[in-house]
Amino acid sequence: MEPNLSVWEKIITVSSPGGGTGKSEIAAHIAYILANRGKSVWLIDANLFTPSLDILYNIHYHNCDTLNEFLLNDKLSEIPVCDISHLTKHQSHGRLYLTPCIRNDSEKRSQTETALIENDNICEKIPEAICQGLGKEIDYLIVDTHPGFERINQAWFAITNYLILMSRITPVDIENLGMLLKEKNSWIYGRNSWCSIMSTLTKEETRTKR
Amino acid sequence: MKNNEMQGKFLYYLKNPSVITGINPEEDNSVEIFRHPIPYSEALATFSKDKGLYMLTHKVSDFTLIMKALAEKIENDLGKQ
């Protein structure tokens, strides 16, 4: 499938070299703000190890499949989506959709982690499914990944047009960020991709020790 | 590291982005550092998730204003393409 360029221009990914930078908080708020500005926003919780978007929105998704089911089930060709537009202020304008990630089912989370390690092809169906999903009048797709840059995150980066990298102002995070950016052109391919770095200031060490 | 030290480092990186990016901004402007760092907030760190999104109850906090600025930037940047 060769999607038109406009489909890919909608994809924003939030990631970071290390954990605890506020990726999910950023993704949840940006999605909410854009939806309240009249946009249709699809938010994917791709943080397979520590998902939290449902917690941040304080919602339950009992009637919705998750990203894990999509990745684990070869027969599922569409990424599941919950309509959570009721959370927005002006429900008649923008829309807000969420693809949740399993948080409480440790067995299924473990299956997903194993599949990510053992199945080389698990990421291959992501682009086509995204392309199909984005056809549904979506203005922006925001992907909240887990920290790090291994294979599944690289699969998201490869279809990303606008990458937001979160980093703390610490020597380790800055060094890791620099190493990642040296590889930028190898994982964002051939489009007019943008990359914006956001910085989070951590709690003062002196206060932490108290 | 104290907050003023972190702020100082951030300002240094903002003025000298190639220290992090390894890219000369005059040659490649596709990577940039967002000019508003997110300050540490005890209120955000300890916020009860039962209340939903933080910005709903902290409408004029630094964090909320930075999120609005970022959303606007995303719309502008993607609109330019």
Side-chain angles (χ1 to χ4, degrees), chain A residues 110-172:
Chain A
S110 173
Q111 281 175 7
T112 310
E113 288 177 28
T114 305
L116 285 172
I117 294 166
E118 294 178 352
N119 184 352
D120 288 339
N121 302 322
I122 196 166
C123 303
E124 286 184 358
K125 63 179 184 170
I126 289 175
E128 189 168 333
I130 290 291
C131 191
Q132 286 174 1
L134 282 174
K136 297 171 186 170
E137 302 296 322
I138 299 291
D139 294 309
Y140 296 111
L141 165 63
I142 301 176
V143 181
D144 175 29
T145 71
H146 50 257
F149 304 112
E150 75 290 82
R151 193 170 55 203
I152 182 127
N153 276 2
Q154 288 176 19
W156 292 114
F157 295 165
I159 57 167
T160 290
N161 185 42
Y162 196 98
L163 178 64
I164 299 172
L165 288 171
M166 304 289 303
S167 175
R168 287 171 298 194
I169 305 290
T170 64
V172 172

Short mmCIF file of all heavy atoms in Angstrom, two decimals, chain A residues 110-172:
data_model
loop_
_atom_site.label_atom_id
_atom_site.label_comp_id
_atom_site.label_asym_id
_atom_site.label_seq_id
_atom_site.Cartn_x
_atom_site.Cartn_y
_atom_site.Cartn_z
N SER A 110 2.84 -9.75 29.52
CA SER A 110 4.02 -10.60 29.37
C SER A 110 4.06 -11.22 27.97
O SER A 110 5.11 -11.30 27.34
CB SER A 110 3.98 -11.68 30.45
OG SER A 110 4.99 -12.60 30.25
N GLN A 111 2.86 -11.65 27.49
CA GLN A 111 2.79 -12.22 26.13
C GLN A 111 3.25 -11.19 25.10
O GLN A 111 3.96 -11.52 24.14
CB GLN A 111 1.33 -12.59 25.81
CG GLN A 111 0.87 -13.88 26.42
CD GLN A 111 -0.62 -14.12 26.15
OE1 GLN A 111 -1.26 -13.39 25.41
NE2 GLN A 111 -1.15 -15.14 26.79
N THR A 112 2.82 -9.95 25.32
CA THR A 112 3.19 -8.90 24.37
C THR A 112 4.70 -8.69 24.38
O THR A 112 5.33 -8.58 23.32
CB THR A 112 2.48 -7.57 24.73
OG1 THR A 112 1.10 -7.83 24.92
CG2 THR A 112 2.65 -6.55 23.63
N GLU A 113 5.27 -8.64 25.58
CA GLU A 113 6.72 -8.42 25.68
C GLU A 113 7.49 -9.55 25.01
O GLU A 113 8.46 -9.32 24.29
CB GLU A 113 7.13 -8.30 27.16
CG GLU A 113 6.67 -6.99 27.78
CD GLU A 113 7.00 -6.90 29.26
OE1 GLU A 113 7.99 -7.52 29.69
OE2 GLU A 113 6.27 -6.21 29.98
N THR A 114 7.02 -10.79 25.24
CA THR A 114 7.68 -11.94 24.61
C THR A 114 7.56 -11.86 23.10
O THR A 114 8.53 -12.10 22.36
CB THR A 114 7.03 -13.26 25.12
OG1 THR A 114 7.09 -13.26 26.53
CG2 THR A 114 7.75 -14.46 24.56
N ALA A 115 6.35 -11.53 22.64
CA ALA A 115 6.14 -11.46 21.19
C ALA A 115 7.03 -10.39 20.56
O ALA A 115 7.56 -10.58 19.45
CB ALA A 115 4.67 -11.14 20.90
N LEU A 116 7.22 -9.29 21.27
CA LEU A 116 8.07 -8.23 20.73
C LEU A 116 9.52 -8.69 20.58
O LEU A 116 10.23 -8.28 19.67
CB LEU A 116 8.04 -7.00 21.64
CG LEU A 116 6.77 -6.15 21.58
CD1 LEU A 116 6.78 -5.10 22.67
CD2 LEU A 116 6.63 -5.49 20.22
N ILE A 117 9.94 -9.57 21.49
CA ILE A 117 11.31 -10.07 21.43
C ILE A 117 11.46 -11.16 20.38
O ILE A 117 12.43 -11.19 19.62
CB ILE A 117 11.73 -10.61 22.82
CG1 ILE A 117 11.78 -9.45 23.83
CG2 ILE A 117 13.07 -11.31 22.75
CD1 ILE A 117 11.84 -9.91 25.27
N GLU A 118 10.45 -12.05 20.32
CA GLU A 118 10.61 -13.26 19.51
C GLU A 118 10.08 -13.15 18.08
O GLU A 118 10.49 -13.89 17.20
CB GLU A 118 9.89 -14.43 20.21
CG GLU A 118 10.56 -14.79 21.53
CD GLU A 118 9.85 -15.91 22.25
OE1 GLU A 118 8.76 -16.32 21.81
OE2 GLU A 118 10.39 -16.37 23.28
N ASN A 119 9.13 -12.25 17.87
CA ASN A 119 8.51 -12.18 16.55
C ASN A 119 9.03 -10.97 15.77
O ASN A 119 8.67 -9.82 16.05
CB ASN A 119 6.98 -12.08 16.72
CG ASN A 119 6.26 -12.09 15.39
OD1 ASN A 119 6.90 -12.03 14.33
ND2 ASN A 119 4.95 -12.18 15.43
N ASP A 120 9.88 -11.26 14.80
CA ASP A 120 10.49 -10.18 14.02
C ASP A 120 9.47 -9.39 13.21
O ASP A 120 9.73 -8.26 12.81
CB ASP A 120 11.55 -10.74 13.06
CG ASP A 120 12.78 -11.18 13.82
OD1 ASP A 120 12.97 -10.71 14.96
OD2 ASP A 120 13.54 -12.01 13.29
N ASN A 121 8.32 -10.02 12.94
CA ASN A 121 7.37 -9.39 12.02
C ASN A 121 6.25 -8.62 12.73
O ASN A 121 5.36 -8.09 12.08
CB ASN A 121 6.72 -10.46 11.12
CG ASN A 121 7.77 -11.21 10.35
OD1 ASN A 121 8.75 -10.62 9.91
ND2 ASN A 121 7.57 -12.51 10.19
N ILE A 122 6.32 -8.57 14.06
CA ILE A 122 5.19 -8.04 14.81
C ILE A 122 4.88 -6.57 14.47
O ILE A 122 3.74 -6.14 14.54
CB ILE A 122 5.41 -8.22 16.34
CG1 ILE A 122 4.10 -8.03 17.08
CG2 ILE A 122 6.48 -7.29 16.88
CD1 ILE A 122 4.13 -8.52 18.53
N CYS A 123 5.89 -5.84 14.09
CA CYS A 123 5.69 -4.40 13.83
C CYS A 123 5.25 -4.13 12.40
O CYS A 123 4.88 -3.00 12.07
CB CYS A 123 6.98 -3.63 14.11
SG CYS A 123 7.60 -3.85 15.77
N GLU A 124 5.31 -5.16 11.55
CA GLU A 124 5.12 -4.90 10.13
C GLU A 124 3.71 -4.46 9.77
O GLU A 124 3.49 -3.79 8.77
CB GLU A 124 5.49 -6.15 9.31
CG GLU A 124 6.99 -6.34 9.25
CD GLU A 124 7.37 -7.51 8.37
OE1 GLU A 124 6.46 -8.19 7.85
OE2 GLU A 124 8.58 -7.75 8.23
N LYS A 125 2.72 -4.86 10.58
CA LYS A 125 1.35 -4.49 10.22
C LYS A 125 0.96 -3.12 10.74
O LYS A 125 -0.13 -2.65 10.46
CB LYS A 125 0.37 -5.56 10.66
CG LYS A 125 0.26 -5.79 12.14
CD LYS A 125 -0.78 -6.88 12.38
CE LYS A 125 -1.04 -7.11 13.84
NZ LYS A 125 -2.19 -7.96 14.09
N ILE A 126 1.85 -2.48 11.51
CA ILE A 126 1.50 -1.17 12.07
C ILE A 126 1.24 -0.13 10.97
O ILE A 126 0.19 0.52 10.98
CB ILE A 126 2.59 -0.68 13.05
CG1 ILE A 126 2.53 -1.52 14.33
CG2 ILE A 126 2.40 0.80 13.40
CD1 ILE A 126 3.64 -1.20 15.33
N PRO A 127 2.15 0.06 10.00
CA PRO A 127 1.92 1.14 9.04
C PRO A 127 0.60 1.02 8.27
O PRO A 127 -0.12 2.00 8.11
CB PRO A 127 3.12 1.02 8.08
CG PRO A 127 4.17 0.36 8.88
CD PRO A 127 3.45 -0.58 9.79
N GLU A 128 0.29 -0.19 7.82
CA GLU A 128 -0.94 -0.36 7.03
C GLU A 128 -2.18 -0.09 7.90
O GLU A 128 -3.13 0.57 7.46
CB GLU A 128 -1.01 -1.76 6.45
CG GLU A 128 -2.15 -1.90 5.45
CD GLU A 128 -2.06 -3.19 4.65
OE1 GLU A 128 -0.94 -3.70 4.47
OE2 GLU A 128 -3.11 -3.65 4.20
N ALA A 129 -2.14 -0.58 9.15
CA ALA A 129 -3.29 -0.36 10.05
C ALA A 129 -3.44 1.12 10.37
O ALA A 129 -4.56 1.64 10.44
CB ALA A 129 -3.09 -1.15 11.33
N ILE A 130 -2.32 1.81 10.56
CA ILE A 130 -2.36 3.25 10.82
C ILE A 130 -2.96 3.96 9.61
O ILE A 130 -3.80 4.86 9.74
CB ILE A 130 -0.94 3.78 11.09
CG1 ILE A 130 -0.43 3.27 12.44
CG2 ILE A 130 -0.90 5.31 11.04
CD1 ILE A 130 -1.13 3.84 13.64
N CYS A 131 -2.52 3.58 8.45
CA CYS A 131 -2.98 4.22 7.23
C CYS A 131 -4.50 4.06 7.08
O CYS A 131 -5.21 5.01 6.76
CB CYS A 131 -2.26 3.60 6.04
SG CYS A 131 -2.51 4.51 4.53
N GLN A 132 -4.99 2.85 7.37
CA GLN A 132 -6.44 2.63 7.31
C GLN A 132 -7.17 3.47 8.36
O GLN A 132 -8.18 4.11 8.08
CB GLN A 132 -6.76 1.15 7.56
CG GLN A 132 -6.42 0.26 6.39
CD GLN A 132 -6.60 -1.22 6.72
OE1 GLN A 132 -7.00 -1.57 7.82
NE2 GLN A 132 -6.30 -2.07 5.75
N GLY A 133 -6.64 3.49 9.57
CA GLY A 133 -7.28 4.22 10.66
C GLY A 133 -7.31 5.72 10.41
O GLY A 133 -8.28 6.40 10.71
N LEU A 134 -6.22 6.22 9.83
CA LEU A 134 -6.12 7.66 9.61
C LEU A 134 -7.06 8.13 8.50
O LEU A 134 -7.28 9.33 8.34
CB LEU A 134 -4.68 8.05 9.26
CG LEU A 134 -3.74 8.13 10.45
CD1 LEU A 134 -2.32 8.37 10.00
CD2 LEU A 134 -4.17 9.24 11.39
N GLY A 135 -7.60 7.19 7.76
CA GLY A 135 -8.55 7.58 6.72
C GLY A 135 -9.87 8.08 7.29
O GLY A 135 -10.67 8.69 6.61
N LYS A 136 -10.08 7.85 8.60
CA LYS A 136 -11.39 8.16 9.20
C LYS A 136 -11.43 9.59 9.72
O LYS A 136 -11.64 9.82 10.91
CB LYS A 136 -11.66 7.18 10.34
CG LYS A 136 -11.76 5.74 9.89
CD LYS A 136 -11.81 4.82 11.10
CE LYS A 136 -11.74 3.37 10.68
NZ LYS A 136 -11.56 2.46 11.82
N GLU A 137 -11.19 10.53 8.87
CA GLU A 137 -11.35 11.95 9.22
C GLU A 137 -10.54 12.34 10.47
O GLU A 137 -11.01 13.11 11.30
CB GLU A 137 -12.84 12.27 9.46
CG GLU A 137 -13.73 11.98 8.28
CD GLU A 137 -13.39 12.85 7.08
OE1 GLU A 137 -13.08 14.03 7.27
OE2 GLU A 137 -13.42 12.32 5.96
N ILE A 138 -9.38 11.77 10.59
CA ILE A 138 -8.52 12.12 11.73
C ILE A 138 -7.58 13.26 11.31
O ILE A 138 -6.95 13.20 10.27
CB ILE A 138 -7.68 10.89 12.16
CG1 ILE A 138 -8.58 9.74 12.62
CG2 ILE A 138 -6.69 11.27 13.26
CD1 ILE A 138 -9.32 9.97 13.90
N ASP A 139 -7.49 14.28 12.16
CA ASP A 139 -6.57 15.39 11.88
C ASP A 139 -5.17 15.09 12.39
O ASP A 139 -4.17 15.43 11.75
CB ASP A 139 -7.07 16.68 12.53
CG ASP A 139 -8.37 17.17 11.91
OD1 ASP A 139 -8.41 17.27 10.67
OD2 ASP A 139 -9.34 17.41 12.65
N TYR A 140 -5.10 14.50 13.58
CA TYR A 140 -3.80 14.20 14.17
C TYR A 140 -3.82 12.82 14.84
O TYR A 140 -4.80 12.48 15.50
CB TYR A 140 -3.42 15.21 15.26
CG TYR A 140 -3.25 16.63 14.76
CD1 TYR A 140 -4.16 17.62 15.12
CD2 TYR A 140 -2.17 16.98 13.95
CE1 TYR A 140 -4.01 18.93 14.67
CE2 TYR A 140 -2.02 18.28 13.49
CZ TYR A 140 -2.93 19.25 13.86
OH TYR A 140 -2.78 20.53 13.41
N LEU A 141 -2.74 12.09 14.65
CA LEU A 141 -2.52 10.86 15.42
C LEU A 141 -1.34 11.13 16.35
O LEU A 141 -0.27 11.56 15.89
CB LEU A 141 -2.17 9.69 14.50
CG LEU A 141 -1.58 8.45 15.19
CD1 LEU A 141 -2.57 7.84 16.16
CD2 LEU A 141 -1.13 7.42 14.18
N ILE A 142 -1.54 10.93 17.64
CA ILE A 142 -0.46 11.13 18.61
C ILE A 142 -0.12 9.78 19.24
O ILE A 142 -1.00 9.09 19.76
CB ILE A 142 -0.88 12.14 19.71
CG1 ILE A 142 -1.22 13.49 19.05
CG2 ILE A 142 0.24 12.31 20.74
CD1 ILE A 142 -1.73 14.54 20.02
N VAL A 143 1.15 9.40 19.15
CA VAL A 143 1.59 8.11 19.68
C VAL A 143 2.47 8.36 20.91
O VAL A 143 3.46 9.09 20.82
CB VAL A 143 2.40 7.32 18.62
CG1 VAL A 143 2.83 5.97 19.18
CG2 VAL A 143 1.61 7.15 17.33
N ASP A 144 2.06 7.77 22.01
CA ASP A 144 2.84 7.89 23.25
C ASP A 144 3.62 6.59 23.44
O ASP A 144 3.03 5.54 23.71
CB ASP A 144 1.87 8.11 24.44
CG ASP A 144 2.59 8.11 25.77
OD1 ASP A 144 3.77 8.47 25.80
OD2 ASP A 144 1.96 7.76 26.78
N THR A 145 4.93 6.64 23.25
CA THR A 145 5.72 5.40 23.30
C THR A 145 6.30 5.18 24.70
O THR A 145 6.24 6.06 25.54
CB THR A 145 6.92 5.46 22.32
OG1 THR A 145 7.88 6.38 22.84
CG2 THR A 145 6.47 5.89 20.94
N HIS A 146 6.88 4.01 24.89
CA HIS A 146 7.65 3.82 26.11
C HIS A 146 9.06 4.38 25.89
O HIS A 146 9.43 4.69 24.76
CB HIS A 146 7.68 2.35 26.54
CG HIS A 146 8.07 1.40 25.47
ND1 HIS A 146 7.18 0.63 24.79
CD2 HIS A 146 9.27 1.14 24.92
CE1 HIS A 146 7.80 -0.08 23.88
NE2 HIS A 146 9.06 0.20 23.94
N PRO A 147 9.84 4.55 26.96
CA PRO A 147 11.18 5.12 26.79
C PRO A 147 12.09 4.17 26.02
O PRO A 147 11.86 2.96 26.00
CB PRO A 147 11.70 5.27 28.23
CG PRO A 147 10.54 5.03 29.12
CD PRO A 147 9.55 4.24 28.36
N GLY A 148 13.11 4.74 25.40
CA GLY A 148 14.08 3.92 24.69
C GLY A 148 13.81 3.88 23.20
O GLY A 148 12.80 4.39 22.73
N PHE A 149 14.71 3.24 22.49
CA PHE A 149 14.61 3.31 21.03
C PHE A 149 14.78 1.94 20.38
O PHE A 149 15.43 1.81 19.36
CB PHE A 149 15.66 4.31 20.51
CG PHE A 149 15.50 5.66 21.16
CD1 PHE A 149 16.45 6.14 22.04
CD2 PHE A 149 14.37 6.42 20.93
CE1 PHE A 149 16.28 7.36 22.66
CE2 PHE A 149 14.20 7.64 21.54
CZ PHE A 149 15.15 8.11 22.41
N GLU A 150 14.20 0.93 21.02
CA GLU A 150 14.33 -0.38 20.41
C GLU A 150 13.31 -0.56 19.29
O GLU A 150 12.65 0.37 18.88
CB GLU A 150 14.25 -1.50 21.46
CG GLU A 150 12.88 -1.79 22.00
CD GLU A 150 12.38 -0.70 22.89
OE1 GLU A 150 11.86 0.28 22.33
OE2 GLU A 150 12.47 -0.81 24.11
N ARG A 151 13.18 -1.83 18.83
CA ARG A 151 12.52 -2.09 17.55
C ARG A 151 11.11 -1.52 17.43
O ARG A 151 10.78 -0.88 16.43
CB ARG A 151 12.48 -3.59 17.29
CG ARG A 151 12.11 -3.92 15.85
CD ARG A 151 12.33 -5.37 15.58
NE ARG A 151 11.60 -6.21 16.54
CZ ARG A 151 11.92 -7.45 16.83
NH1 ARG A 151 12.95 -8.00 16.27
NH2 ARG A 151 11.21 -8.15 17.70
N ILE A 152 10.26 -1.72 18.43
CA ILE A 152 8.88 -1.26 18.26
C ILE A 152 8.82 0.27 18.23
O ILE A 152 8.04 0.85 17.48
CB ILE A 152 7.93 -1.83 19.34
CG1 ILE A 152 6.50 -1.35 19.06
CG2 ILE A 152 8.34 -1.42 20.74
CD1 ILE A 152 5.49 -2.40 19.00
N ASN A 153 9.66 0.92 19.00
CA ASN A 153 9.68 2.38 18.93
C ASN A 153 10.20 2.84 17.57
O ASN A 153 9.71 3.82 17.01
CB ASN A 153 10.53 2.96 20.05
CG ASN A 153 9.75 3.09 21.35
OD1 ASN A 153 8.58 2.70 21.40
ND2 ASN A 153 10.37 3.62 22.38
N GLN A 154 11.18 2.14 17.05
CA GLN A 154 11.68 2.51 15.72
C GLN A 154 10.59 2.35 14.66
O GLN A 154 10.55 3.10 13.69
CB GLN A 154 12.90 1.67 15.37
CG GLN A 154 14.13 2.09 16.17
CD GLN A 154 15.32 1.21 15.90
OE1 GLN A 154 15.38 0.51 14.89
NE2 GLN A 154 16.28 1.22 16.80
N ALA A 155 9.70 1.36 14.88
CA ALA A 155 8.58 1.17 13.95
C ALA A 155 7.67 2.40 13.98
O ALA A 155 7.16 2.84 12.95
CB ALA A 155 7.80 -0.09 14.30
N TRP A 156 7.46 2.95 15.18
CA TRP A 156 6.64 4.17 15.27
C TRP A 156 7.39 5.36 14.67
O TRP A 156 6.81 6.17 13.94
CB TRP A 156 6.28 4.46 16.73
CG TRP A 156 5.33 3.47 17.34
CD1 TRP A 156 5.61 2.61 18.35
CD2 TRP A 156 3.97 3.23 16.97
NE1 TRP A 156 4.49 1.84 18.64
CE2 TRP A 156 3.49 2.20 17.80
CE3 TRP A 156 3.11 3.77 16.00
CZ2 TRP A 156 2.18 1.71 17.72
CZ3 TRP A 156 1.82 3.29 15.92
CH2 TRP A 156 1.37 2.27 16.76
N PHE A 157 8.69 5.46 14.97
CA PHE A 157 9.46 6.60 14.43
C PHE A 157 9.42 6.60 12.90
O PHE A 157 9.38 7.66 12.28
CB PHE A 157 10.93 6.53 14.86
CG PHE A 157 11.15 6.67 16.33
CD1 PHE A 157 12.37 6.33 16.89
CD2 PHE A 157 10.17 7.16 17.16
CE1 PHE A 157 12.60 6.47 18.25
CE2 PHE A 157 10.38 7.30 18.53
CZ PHE A 157 11.59 6.94 19.06
N ALA A 158 9.45 5.40 12.33
CA ALA A 158 9.53 5.31 10.87
C ALA A 158 8.30 5.88 10.17
O ALA A 158 8.37 6.26 9.01
CB ALA A 158 9.75 3.86 10.46
N ILE A 159 7.18 5.93 10.88
CA ILE A 159 5.98 6.50 10.25
C ILE A 159 5.65 7.87 10.85
O ILE A 159 4.59 8.43 10.58
CB ILE A 159 4.76 5.56 10.39
CG1 ILE A 159 4.49 5.23 11.86
CG2 ILE A 159 4.97 4.30 9.57
CD1 ILE A 159 3.15 4.57 12.08
N THR A 160 6.58 8.39 11.65
CA THR A 160 6.31 9.66 12.33
C THR A 160 6.74 10.85 11.48
O THR A 160 7.78 10.82 10.84
CB THR A 160 7.10 9.69 13.67
OG1 THR A 160 6.50 8.76 14.55
CG2 THR A 160 7.08 11.06 14.30
N ASN A 161 5.93 11.87 11.51
CA ASN A 161 6.27 13.10 10.81
C ASN A 161 6.79 14.16 11.77
O ASN A 161 7.58 15.01 11.40
CB ASN A 161 5.02 13.62 10.10
CG ASN A 161 5.33 14.83 9.25
OD1 ASN A 161 6.34 14.86 8.57
ND2 ASN A 161 4.47 15.82 9.30
N TYR A 162 6.33 14.09 13.01
CA TYR A 162 6.67 15.14 13.98
C TYR A 162 7.00 14.44 15.29
O TYR A 162 6.13 13.90 15.96
CB TYR A 162 5.46 16.06 14.15
CG TYR A 162 5.77 17.38 14.82
CD1 TYR A 162 5.97 18.53 14.06
CD2 TYR A 162 5.82 17.48 16.20
CE1 TYR A 162 6.24 19.74 14.68
CE2 TYR A 162 6.09 18.69 16.81
CZ TYR A 162 6.29 19.82 16.05
OH TYR A 162 6.54 21.02 16.66
N LEU A 163 8.26 14.44 15.60
CA LEU A 163 8.72 13.71 16.79
C LEU A 163 9.01 14.68 17.93
O LEU A 163 9.75 15.64 17.75
CB LEU A 163 9.99 12.92 16.44
CG LEU A 163 10.64 12.13 17.57
CD1 LEU A 163 9.72 11.02 18.06
CD2 LEU A 163 11.96 11.52 17.09
N ILE A 164 8.39 14.43 19.06
CA ILE A 164 8.67 15.23 20.25
C ILE A 164 9.51 14.37 21.19
O ILE A 164 9.05 13.33 21.66
CB ILE A 164 7.37 15.67 20.95
CG1 ILE A 164 6.53 16.54 20.01
CG2 ILE A 164 7.68 16.43 22.24
CD1 ILE A 164 5.15 16.85 20.54
N LEU A 165 10.74 14.78 21.41
CA LEU A 165 11.62 14.04 22.29
C LEU A 165 11.71 14.75 23.63
O LEU A 165 12.07 15.92 23.69
CB LEU A 165 13.02 13.93 21.67
CG LEU A 165 13.14 13.00 20.47
CD1 LEU A 165 14.50 13.16 19.82
CD2 LEU A 165 12.92 11.56 20.90
N MET A 166 11.37 14.05 24.67
CA MET A 166 11.43 14.62 26.01
C MET A 166 12.77 14.25 26.64
O MET A 166 13.22 13.12 26.52
CB MET A 166 10.32 14.04 26.88
CG MET A 166 8.93 14.18 26.34
SD MET A 166 8.36 15.85 26.41
CE MET A 166 8.54 16.18 28.16
N SER A 167 13.34 15.20 27.33
CA SER A 167 14.59 14.89 28.01
C SER A 167 14.71 15.69 29.30
O SER A 167 14.28 16.84 29.35
CB SER A 167 15.77 15.24 27.10
OG SER A 167 16.99 15.05 27.79
N ARG A 168 15.25 15.07 30.29
CA ARG A 168 15.57 15.83 31.49
C ARG A 168 16.93 16.50 31.29
O ARG A 168 17.73 16.06 30.46
CB ARG A 168 15.64 14.88 32.70
CG ARG A 168 14.27 14.41 33.14
CD ARG A 168 14.39 13.32 34.17
NE ARG A 168 15.09 12.16 33.60
CZ ARG A 168 15.12 10.97 34.15
NH1 ARG A 168 14.53 10.77 35.28
NH2 ARG A 168 15.77 10.00 33.58
N ILE A 169 17.16 17.54 32.07
CA ILE A 169 18.46 18.23 31.98
C ILE A 169 19.43 17.52 32.91
O ILE A 169 19.79 18.02 33.98
CB ILE A 169 18.33 19.72 32.34
CG1 ILE A 169 17.28 20.39 31.47
CG2 ILE A 169 19.66 20.44 32.20
CD1 ILE A 169 17.65 20.55 30.03
N THR A 170 19.78 16.32 32.52
CA THR A 170 20.80 15.59 33.27
C THR A 170 21.85 15.11 32.27
O THR A 170 21.53 14.89 31.09
CB THR A 170 20.22 14.35 33.99
OG1 THR A 170 19.75 13.44 32.99
CG2 THR A 170 19.06 14.74 34.91
N PRO A 171 23.10 14.97 32.70
CA PRO A 171 24.15 14.57 31.75
C PRO A 171 23.82 13.28 31.00
O PRO A 171 24.04 13.19 29.79
CB PRO A 171 25.38 14.40 32.65
CG PRO A 171 25.12 15.28 33.82
CD PRO A 171 23.63 15.25 34.04
N VAL A 172 23.25 12.30 31.70
CA VAL A 172 22.97 11.01 31.05
C VAL A 172 21.89 11.17 29.97
O VAL A 172 22.04 10.69 28.84
CB VAL A 172 22.52 9.97 32.10
CG1 VAL A 172 22.04 8.69 31.42
CG2 VAL A 172 23.65 9.67 33.06
#
